[in-house]
Amino acid sequence: MSDTQAEMEQALDRIARAIDRSSSVSVSTQLRGGIEFGIASGELPANARLPSVRAMASRCGLSPVTVSGVYAALQEAGHIEAHVGSGTFVRSSDPAKFGAAQQRLLDRRIADLIRLARECGIGLSELAMRITMTRSEAPTPMRLLLVGNFHDATEAYAEAVRPSLPEGDTLRAVTLSEISDSPPEDVDVVLAPRTLRSRAQALFPGVSVVDLTLIPNEATRVAMASIPTEARVVGYTYFPEFLAIMKAGIMRFAPHVSDLSMVVRGEEGVEAAIAEADVLIYATGAEYLLAGLSDDQVAFEYRHTPGKQSIRRDLLPAIEAIRAELKEKDSA
């Protein structure tokens, strides 16, 4: 088993353990959300093979019919794909395919350059020296738009991405609700968490949408690791489908916590559960809960940030591939 597959198996185990049959959120919604947000966070990486319907059902203690319905919904949403005879896999995003195509194009052009150098009587050492001394053409500026659900969090994502962009590129942060009625037209690329990809693509049908991988930020991980062992912990989710993956994340970074319960906005008993908590971990967008806490209660946000490794490995190559495509269209 590869390291990637092993990491995915561990993530699936956490999601399976996080499914709460006593919750008001249906187990099918929990499983679908757990897998969907697991893909969005990179814990379930592209091209990794998912368990069969029966294997996943056994792992989660659910019926095969439930799991089959979840797989069908995820496939319809474009998150996974079934290959006849080989299984079900996490689907690669289009930008990643663009990146692979750009790598192949780069290899071909390098080979052409080496052939031309040899025809000119230039060896590899001199060619390498000429390359290092040649000033590269400044990249064509790109207008990027990062979309999210909540303003402060979306702007924080943009702040994390901006330092990695080439000089001249601009990146604006907006919420989907802010632009739903009138999407801006001066956009070359849209960045979006994978869970929002379909909504972003619907707003920008002619623009490339690049997936943004989000992981719990360092402050959140440190806060979870610092929770006292004996604390009564409550996790509050803003969206029902986020329940399983948030609980799995808490279990991962605070494995010492034994008294953990999850509640969802709007369900019965939320206020009482929060009132009894020693520690409240609330999802982004639920800051309004802080006003109702007592002085002896601890609370912190389950905040995400773009993964630095994913920015370098996935996001930037995808942006460069789109930049090259737009430049080629403009010169055609």
Side-chain angles (χ1 to χ4, degrees):
M1 181 185 298
S2 67
D3 291 342
T4 298
Q5 191 69 31
E7 290 173 4
M8 191 186 80
E9 292 296 329
Q10 294 173 5
L12 288 173
D13 283 340
R14 289 192 293 269
I15 292 171
R17 294 198 306 271
I19 292 177
D20 184 357
R21 290 161 186 77
S22 65
S23 172
S24 63
V25 179
S26 68
V27 291
S28 61
T29 298
Q30 292 183 52
L31 179 59
R32 176 179 174 174
I35 295 175
E36 187 173 4
F37 280 96
I39 293 171
S41 68
E43 289 198 57
L44 305 181
N47 302 315
R49 181 177 179 176
L50 291 170
S52 68
V53 167
R54 290 193 176 278
M56 181 65 87
S58 176
R59 181 182 228 143
C60 299
L62 304 176
S63 75
V65 173
T66 298
V67 175
S68 179
V70 168
Y71 274 21
L74 289 169
Q75 186 168 348
E76 184 177 356
H79 297 304
I80 64 176
E81 55 189 1
H83 298 167
V84 178
S86 56
T88 302
F89 297 81
V90 176
R91 185 176 179 180
S92 297
S93 61
D94 290 339
K97 295 177 182 178
F98 291 155
Q102 284 298 108
Q103 290 292 332
R104 292 193 295 271
L105 176 60
L106 175 62
D107 289 340
R108 289 198 300 271
R109 290 185 176 175
I110 289 175
D112 291 340
L113 180 60
I114 292 174
R115 281 195 295 270
L116 178 60
R118 286 173 176 167
E119 292 173 2
C120 295
I122 297 174
L124 292 180
S125 298
E126 183 180 351
L127 176 61
M129 181 184 69
R130 284 171 175 258
I131 290 173
T132 58
M133 294 177 64
T134 300
R135 296 184 62 182
S136 60
E137 181 182 354
T140 304
M142 296 271 280
R143 301 164 299 179
L144 295 91
L145 188 73
L146 196 157
V147 299
N149 283 319
F150 304 102
H151 177 78
D152 289 348
T154 306
E155 181 56 46
Y157 303 159
E159 284 296 319
V161 172
R162 286 189 183 110
S164 300
L165 296 175
E167 185 177 356
D169 284 1
T170 59
L171 175 60
R172 288 179 291 160
V174 298
T175 63
L176 288 172
S177 60
E178 291 172 341
I179 62 171
S180 59
D181 294 332
S182 181
E185 297 181 359
D186 56 339
V187 176
D188 298 312
V189 182
V190 175
L191 310 183
R194 186 155 183 167
T195 52
L196 302 180
R197 162 180 265 276
S198 59
R199 293 172 61 188
Q201 196 68 79
L203 287 173
F204 298 92
V207 179
S208 295
V209 177
V210 177
D211 293 336
L212 186 68
T213 299
L214 301 174
I215 61 175
N217 69 8
E218 183 176 0
T220 299
R221 297 196 300 268
V222 170
M224 287 192 286
S226 303
I227 297 173
T229 303
E230 68 280 3
R232 178 178 297 175
V233 181
V234 171
Y236 180 95
T237 71
Y238 200 88
F239 301 110
E241 58 269 21
F242 191 55
L243 185 147
I245 198 65
M246 181 177 177
K247 184 177 180 180
I250 297 172
M251 293 165 60
R252 177 183 183 184
F253 295 107
H256 57 286
V257 171
S258 58
D259 190 349
L260 170 63
S261 59
M262 302 294 296
V263 294
V264 180
R265 178 187 59 156
E267 73 177 349
E268 185 178 353
V270 169
E271 293 80 4
I274 293 176
E276 295 176 357
D278 298 314
V279 178
L280 172 66
I281 306 174
Y282 59 91
T284 297
E287 296 81 3
Y288 52 82
L289 295 174
L290 297 176
L293 299 181
S294 63
D295 293 339
D296 60 346
Q297 287 180 295
V298 175
F300 59 88
E301 178 184 356
Y302 193 93
R303 174 65 73 93
H304 288 84
T305 189
K308 292 182 179 179
Q309 181 180 1
S310 178
I311 290 176
R312 294 191 301 268
R313 183 192 62 210
D314 304 317
L315 184 64
L316 295 181
I319 292 173
E320 291 310 309
I322 296 168
R323 191 193 311 274
E325 283 199 338
L326 293 177
K327 183 177 180 180
E328 190 171 319
K329 288 180 181 178
D330 290 341
S331 60

